[in-house]
Amino acid sequence: MKKVIILIIIVVVLSNLPPLKWIVGPDDILYSNASGSFTFNELNYAGRNYQLCIVNFEAFKSVHKEDTLLFRITPINIFKFWRWNEYLTNDKYKLHYKSWKEIETKRGPLVNKTNWQAF
Amino acid sequence: MAILPKNFIAIDAEITIAGGANGVPFSLFDPNHPFAHQNQYRPLPYYQYENKFNDYSQFNRERHLIIEEELTITPPPLDLKKAFNCFNQVQSAGAKYSIKLCLDVPNNKNPLALPPETGSQTGHTFIVITKSNAGKTITQVFGFYAKQHPGYLFPWRAMPSIILNNQLREINASLEMSLTQDQFDKLRQKAFDLAKNKYAADSYNCTNFGMDLFNSVRIKPIVVEKFTVFLPVNHIGPNLLELTKTPQMLFKKLKSMKDGKDAESPNIIIDTTGKTKAPLSHGECN
C-alpha cells in the first residue's frame, strides 16, 4: 500500500514538471467579463496567453467604466492531476469562475464581434 | 459598558475557522477560492460551526458552492469578410491604404531561438491593414492560428485553422508598405482564400499566412530561410522538424534589411524591448 501511494505521488509530481508537463501542453482557457462584452481565448502555443488577455482587458477598462471584472469561464478540473501545479500557482486560475451559460443567456447571440470579443 | 477586573486586557478578535462538509478544511473566505463563494454583508468574515460567537440572525450571509461546469464552446474565427466590410466606412476616393507585416518572437533576448518548451511559445506573425481618408481611419489586425495546440506527438500534422484578432500584440519587427486600391482589393480576396488553408506547423503556419498575404501585393517578395528545430520530447517520427517560414527567420530577414540599409529600411521597425504593440483592431461590420 505504501509503495502504491509513493508511486502515485511520484506520478503526480513528475506529471507537473518538465518535460512531461510540456507533453500535455499548456491549458488554453477562456475569459469573459460578466456581460460578455469582453471575451478572450488563449492559444498559448503562439503566445496568445493570459498576459495578452490582461493587456487587452486593461485597454478595455480604459474605455469602459462599467463591467470591469474579468472572470475565468473555463472550469478547473480537479481530476487533471497533471495541472495541479498550474491550478495552485498560475494567476489565471485565481480569477473567479463564472458560468458561460449564465453570461451568454444575459448577452444573447452575437451578430458582429467588437474588437474586444473573441466569441 | 463592561467592567474588566484589574490586570485584564480587552482583546477584540475575529476568529475564522472554516470546515468543509466532509471535515476537510477549506477557506470560504479566500476571494479567489475556485469552488466556494460567500456573499456576506458585514465588514470582516468569521465563521465557525457551534461557536458561541456565531449568530446567524445578525448577518445576512449566503454560502454556496460553485459547480464549475464543463465548458463546451469553440471560439469562432474573426469573420474576415465582416472585418473587411468595416473598411467601407471610409470613403474610397482618395483613400490611403497600407499593410504591415508584424512578428512577435518568443524570446526577445534571443530572437532567433525557440525556447526549450518547443511548441509552447512559437512566436507569431500577423498582419495590420489600414485604410484612411478625410481624418477617418479603420484598422484591422489579424493572424492565422491552429484552432488548438498542435501537440507533441504529431506537431507537423495539418489541422483546422482559425483567424483571430491580434490587437495589442507585441511587435518585435515589422515592415510596412502602402497599397493602391487595386492592390487592396486583391489583398482582400487573397486573405479570404488563404484563411481557408489548414494549419501545419512546418508547412503552413502563421508566418506562411502573413508572408503569403504580404507578398501577394509585392513585386519583390520577402524570402526567408528555413528553420530547423529539435523536438526534445518527440518519440514518434523525426526529432528534427524543418519549418518553411517562422517569426525567427522573418526577424532575421527584416533585421538584415534594416542593418543593410535596404531601400525599405525606413519602413522597418525592430524593437525587442516589448514596448511596441499592435494598434486596436475594429471588429466586424455588416
Side-chain angles (χ1 to χ4, degrees), chain B residues 175-228:
Chain B
L175 168 58
E176 186 170 17
M177 61 181 272
S178 55
L179 301 170
T180 63
Q181 186 167 348
D182 285 349
Q183 284 175 313
F184 176 80
D185 293 339
K186 188 181 169 190
L187 187 81
R188 179 203 306 250
Q189 190 52 51
K190 191 73 180 174
F192 299 161
D193 294 342
L194 294 177
K196 291 175 192 161
N197 285 335
K198 283 198 163 187
Y199 183 99
D202 58 343
S203 58
Y204 209 84
N205 59 42
C206 58
T207 310
N208 292 81
F209 175 85
M211 286 183 62
D212 284 0
L213 191 55
F214 193 73
N215 284 338
S216 71
V217 286
R218 281 175 70 86
I219 297 164
K220 191 182 161 193
I222 301 290
V223 180
V224 296
E225 297 167 40
K226 286 183 178 174
F227 189 48
T228 303

Side-chain angles (χ1 to χ4, degrees), chain B residues 7 11 73 113 176 184 188-189 201 216 241 247 252-253 257:
Chain B
N7 302 328
I11 299 171
I73 63 164
E176 186 170 17
F184 176 80
R188 179 203 306 250
Q189 190 52 51
S216 71
L241 184 60
K252 188 179 176 186
K253 174 72 180 179
M257 286 169 72

Side-chain angles (χ1 to χ4, degrees), chain A residues 19 22-23 26 30 43-48 56 59 72-73 75-76 94 96-97 100 111-113 115-116 119, chain B residues 31-32 37 68-69 71 76-78 82 117 119-122 146-147 149 152 165 167 169 233 281 284 286:
Chain A
W22 296 343
I23 292 174
L30 306 169
L43 281 170
N44 281 282
Y45 79 90
R48 190 178 168 86
N56 272 270
R72 169 178 54 82
I73 61 169
I76 283 175
K94 291 177 186 165
H96 277 298
Y97 167 79
W100 175 244
V111 181
N112 287 331
K113 283 186 270 187
N115 59 323
W116 305 112
F119 50 92
Chain B
N32 294 316
H37 274 230
E68 299 201 343
E69 300 160 16
L71 185 71
L78 173 74
K82 286 186 169 185
E117 56 272 42
S120 294
Q121 300 169 349
T122 57
K147 263 189 181 169
H149 188 284
Y152 289 89
N165 173 358
Q167 68 177 16
R169 178 86 195 219
V233 292
S281 201
E284 297 173 347
N286 280 326

Side-chain angles (χ1 to χ4, degrees), chain A residues 47-67:
Chain A
R48 190 178 168 86
N49 52 22
Y50 176 60
Q51 285 71 30
L52 185 60
C53 174
I54 294 301
V55 167
N56 272 270
F57 194 61
E58 289 302 319
F60 172 85
K61 286 199 293 185
S62 69
V63 288
H64 297 84
K65 297 302 167 201
E66 288 178 358
D67 200 9

Side-chain angles (χ1 to χ4, degrees), chain B residues 65-76:
Chain B
L65 291 179
I66 288 186
I67 308 296
E68 299 201 343
E69 300 160 16
E70 196 54 52
L71 185 71
T72 50
I73 63 164
T74 308

Side-chain angles (χ1 to χ4, degrees), chain A residues 71 96-99 102, chain B residues 26-31 33-41 47 49 56 60-68:
Chain A
F71 295 95
H96 277 298
Y97 167 79
K98 200 170 183 70
S99 160
E102 188 189 318
Chain B
F26 64 90
S27 169
L28 281 172
F29 307 114
D30 178 353
H33 196 290
F35 298 119
H37 274 230
Q38 176 166 284
N39 299 330
Q40 52 197 8
Y41 310 105
Y47 175 72
Y49 285 117
Y56 283 92
N60 178 9
R61 285 183 286 189
E62 300 163 7
R63 296 184 194 88
H64 50 96
L65 291 179
I66 288 186
I67 308 296
E68 299 201 343

Side-chain angles (χ1 to χ4, degrees), chain B residues 126-139:
Chain B
F126 56 98
I127 291 286
V128 179
I129 298 175
T130 303
K131 178 182 179 184
S132 52
N133 195 3
K136 184 161 187 178
T137 299
I138 298 280
T139 300

